[in-house]
Amino acid sequence: MSDGEKILKVAAMGDLHVREDNGSSYRELFGEISKEADVLVLAGDLTDLGKPKEAEILAQDLKACSIPVVGVLGNHDYECGAHEEVARILREAGMKVLDGQSVEIDGVGFVGVKGFAGGFGRRMLGFFGEPAMKQFVNETMNETLRLENAMRQVRAKRSVVVLHYAPVPDTIESEPLEIYPFLGSSRLAETIDRFKVNAIVHGHAHRGRFEGRTPGGQPVYNVAKHIEKPNGKPYAILEI
Ligand SMILES: [Fe+2]
Ligand SMILES: [Fe+2]
């Protein structure tokens, strides 16, 4: 909570999966969110296949958003190999696309990185065996290092970490156990727990649970649009 400072109302949602053909628009929802919150956080999988066309559709919808928008890309935004183009289109629409950086809005630092997979706790994938396995683990470790560097840059007293992949297993409960290792990594939570944050949001697990905690006790929220939130909306409202 704030130290006598104004509470920031953060709307958070992930996994919009905007497609070229589905005709449904986020325009109305973004308008509603702008009235309810001070900042909109988008937790990745903004497009369905990472097509620039899909990003352009979302960019058009974002015009209905009159509050600052900050977020990260998800694995789906990488599918076509055009993630840089997707990020550029969204940045041009005013969204602060974070990929190992932080940004301060009204006294709250937002730190964003996509994250990666690898599993949880003692069962997470270790740096062992074939080069391909080590490369996989390296990808996770690189993301955590980039997250750590971004967190070190935060000067604000309050902060929110924005990820696409889950840092804990609590918020992916109800997903099949077989795919847990592909939904996130404990290495993300280990990094975050070296700092004090107000909230961690992620998406990616469409069938998870809204609320969880890191091993250090910090609150984690799965804000994928499909997850049931306390307010009954596709987005969550967090008071930071
Ligand atoms: Fe997704
Ligand atoms: Fe995803």
Side-chain angles (χ1 to χ4, degrees):
M1 276 294 159
S2 67
D3 311 312
E5 291 168 39
K6 178 182 162 278
I7 287 171
L8 195 73
K9 283 180 90 177
V10 176
M13 177 168 68
D15 301 84
L16 284 67
H17 289 270
V18 170
R19 295 161 59 117
E20 277 182 87
D21 58 348
N22 68 357
S24 76
S25 164
Y26 283 96
R27 202 168 279 248
E28 208 174 301
L29 195 66
F30 289 155
E32 176 187 319
I33 288 170
S34 300
K35 287 189 203 124
E36 260 201 73
D38 303 309
V39 178
L40 170 60
V41 168
L42 297 177
D45 282 359
L46 310 178
T47 63
D48 199 44
L49 294 170
K51 293 181 182 175
K53 272 248 167 74
E54 295 171 334
E56 278 162 16
I57 293 167
L58 178 58
Q60 282 299 318
D61 288 352
L62 281 171
K63 286 184 181 166
C65 204
S66 55
I67 55 175
V69 184
V70 38
V72 297
L73 299 185
N75 57 319
H76 278 249
D77 303 310
Y78 277 69
E79 169 58 15
C80 283
H83 59 277
E84 284 175 6
E85 175 80 350
V86 165
R88 185 188 60 76
I89 292 164
L90 297 174
R91 283 193 181 110
E92 277 177 17
M95 176 177 169
K96 302 212 182 316
V97 181
L98 301 175
D99 183 17
Q101 302 92 17
S102 69
V103 64
E104 188 171 326
I105 301 169
D106 287 342
V108 176
F110 290 84
V111 183
V113 71
K114 174 177 62 63
F116 197 57
F120 300 94
R122 290 184 55 210
R123 302 294 166 89
M124 71 185 171
L125 191 59
F127 193 77
F128 184 87
E130 302 93 321
M133 278 297 184
K134 289 179 174 168
Q135 206 181 334
F136 190 100
V137 176
N138 256 334
E139 181 74 14
T140 316
M141 296 205 294
N142 278 338
E143 287 291 285
T144 61
L145 286 173
R146 286 170 353 97
L147 172 61
E148 184 177 315
N149 283 339
M151 293 188 78
R152 280 189 203 287
Q153 281 155 23
V154 174
R155 293 287 163 264
K157 283 187 199 137
R158 293 172 285 159
S159 59
V160 175
V161 176
V162 187
L163 304 168
H164 180 59
Y165 284 84
V168 294
D170 310 24
T171 46
I172 62 171
E173 260 177 38
S174 333
E175 287 281 10
L177 210 52
E178 291 86 345
I179 66 165
Y180 270 37
F182 309 116
L183 296 177
S185 166
S186 288
R187 295 183 200 273
L188 296 164
E190 284 168 10
T191 299
I192 295 164
D193 273 345
R194 270 181 254 136
F195 301 83
K196 167 90 185 73
V197 301
N198 293 72
I200 302 138
V201 300
H202 73 87
H204 192 49
H206 296 190
R207 278 182 286 182
R209 182 153 65 84
F210 177 58
E211 205 168 345
R213 296 223 166 243
T214 63
Q218 312 207 70
V220 181
Y221 303 97
N222 180 349
V223 297
K225 134 186 127 172
H226 321 72
I227 301 289
E228 207 178 310
K229 321 280 190 315
N231 61 356
K233 308 273 188 180
Y235 56 89
I237 295 281
L238 307 173
E239 297 196 338
I240 305 297

